[in-house]
Amino acid sequence: MNIRAAFAELYGYEPQGIWSAPGRVNLIGEHTDYNQGFVFPLAIDRRARIAAAARPDGVLRLATTAPGSDRAHIKVAELAPGRLAGWSRYLAGVHWAFGLRGAAVPGMDMLLDSDVPVGAGLSSSAAVECAAALAVRELSGADLPDEELVLLCQQAENEFAGAPTGILDQSASLLSEAGQALFLDCRSRESRLVPLDLAGQGMSLLVIDTKVSHAHDSGGYAERRSDCERAAGALGVESLREVTLPDLVLAAPQLDQLAYRRARHVVSENARVLTAVAHLESGRPIRALGQVLASSHESLRDDFEVSSPELDLAVETATAAGAAGARMTGGGFGGSAIALVDAREAGQVGAAVVRAFGRAGYTAPDIFAVEPGAGAHRDH
């Protein structure tokens, strides 16, 4: 849609700018970010866009193009966790986090338009936060680099929106570049771009949105984070990042079975991230990532227990139909799976998954290919 025209129709004047930020697919590295581990996401070519303009009266007016959504209206000085609910808290939380850093945040009119599917595990909330952060940074004159915006948006999601996520989503949205995946060390926050030329190698990355909505602020995600912290404490380390698989096997008697399985996923997933990055940086074919994806899904399903029947069916069917590898992506409990396929076979793999969902009586999934997209930027 023409978000500039929609803003003008809604508020009666032109916006000062339009900023956008992408959703993301996490190629590998699930539930490792809040354990100070490694992740390997890529921005996708679906984005949240925000048209915005500053107001002189300190009032924040928020609206979205999503059908049936309410508008929000609050003074910037009155922002606090718990004051807003629903979609608007992701925008307002960014304003609040800027204020905590001493920025002189003006009132603003903002309009959000997004084609990142909500609840699909593609980080729609981080896309909104990162687009808002670019708008607020520019309109407030705050001198904050992108790396600081990552932490600011994470704080907004954790403390204002109430979702205990790590820095994976915001880093992917702010720091990615087209044609690249982002290798990120969540302890040091160092990152580097790794070429991911899917089309050049005749490959396609399919997203299979199961239409089973998930939310990071629900209990299951927080429970997994607590399980990991408990395992790290029993092992006498600050985070599971410090543990290797041989260490974990030797220390197994110190852990109950649940904590052991949670830790085994995180430790093995860190190793899978390093393997995937090494594969690509050494020039091995992208297809070689297939087994790494498959192993990740098994671990998420069995040790971390964040998959779902729909996700499992998507992965199993895509693999049987010829995918090089597939796995759930995102926090789990619903959302999306990804399948790495030969581009010529993408149609047949997608069709096989749709048929399998129909036979199982599940809602038909949305299936679409994604390319490594550009990071957050000012559009106009």
Side-chain angles (χ1 to χ4, degrees), residues 41-339:
L42 56 122
I44 61 174
D45 44 358
R46 294 199 172 204
R47 305 178 74 84
R49 293 173 177 83
I50 289 177
R55 295 172 55 90
D57 58 2
V59 171
L60 182 61
R61 296 194 297 180
L62 305 173
T64 174
T65 61
S69 296
D70 294 332
R71 300 174 191 171
H73 183 281
I74 190 172
K75 291 183 178 180
V76 172
E78 297 176 354
L79 289 172
R83 290 298 308 273
L84 294 173
W87 67 271
S88 63
R89 71 193 194 277
Y90 295 103
L91 283 169
V94 170
H95 289 258
W96 169 80
F98 267 95
L100 294 183
R101 286 159 174 78
V105 182
M108 291 186 195
D109 287 333
M110 304 185 93
L111 177 64
L112 166 67
D113 180 61
S114 179
D115 62 2
V116 184
V118 175
L122 303 178
S123 195
S124 58
S125 60
V128 170
E129 292 156 0
C130 294
L134 293 191
V136 175
R137 179 174 66 180
E138 183 169 336
L139 296 180
S140 69
D143 185 20
L144 297 176
D146 288 350
E147 290 76 10
E148 179 61 24
L149 292 190
V150 168
L151 301 179
L152 183 153
C153 291
Q154 182 202 14
Q155 184 179 27
E157 181 133 356
N158 289 177
E159 299 178 24
F160 199 94
T165 60
I167 63 171
L168 186 163
D169 299 342
Q170 294 82 6
S171 296
S173 192
L174 283 161
L175 305 179
S176 291
E177 293 184 11
Q180 316 272 328
L182 182 76
F183 173 51
L184 174 66
D185 181 333
C186 295
R187 180 166 64 182
S188 69
R189 301 204 300 275
E190 294 177 352
S191 65
R192 67 176 183 266
L193 295 164
V194 179
L196 186 67
D197 185 9
L198 291 164
Q201 295 193 26
M203 302 298 291
S204 182
L205 188 64
L206 294 182
V207 172
I208 304 166
D209 179 0
T210 67
K211 312 302 288 185
V212 178
S213 183
H214 84 141
H216 276 165
D217 54 353
S218 62
Y221 190 97
E223 287 174 6
R224 296 307 184 278
R225 185 163 186 162
S226 178
D227 290 341
C228 293
E229 291 169 353
R230 183 165 56 87
L235 293 169
V237 295
E238 180 184 353
S239 73
L240 293 176
R241 158 67 176 271
E242 301 169 50
V243 183
T244 66
L245 280 171
D247 292 338
L248 183 61
V249 172
L250 289 174
Q254 302 172 39
L255 300 172
D256 61 75
Q257 279 300 306
L258 182 64
Y260 177 76
R261 287 190 288 109
R262 302 292 191 254
R264 182 168 59 184
H265 165 71
V266 172
V267 174
S268 63
E269 188 80 346
N270 277 327
R272 283 186 284 270
V273 173
L274 296 178
T275 296
V277 172
H279 277 357
L280 293 179
E281 291 187 330
S282 66
R284 292 192 64 189
I286 292 173
R287 169 173 273 280
L289 299 181
Q291 184 52 51
V292 179
L293 301 184
S295 177
S296 175
H297 185 77
E298 292 171 3
S299 181
L300 287 158
R301 181 192 64 204
D302 299 337
D303 278 351
F304 222 65
E305 297 180 286
V306 292
S307 190
S308 70
E310 294 86 354
L311 287 168
D312 291 341
L313 181 61
V315 168
E316 292 161 8
T317 305
T319 303
R327 73 175 194 94
M328 58 154 280
T329 188
F333 309 104
S336 297
I338 55 173

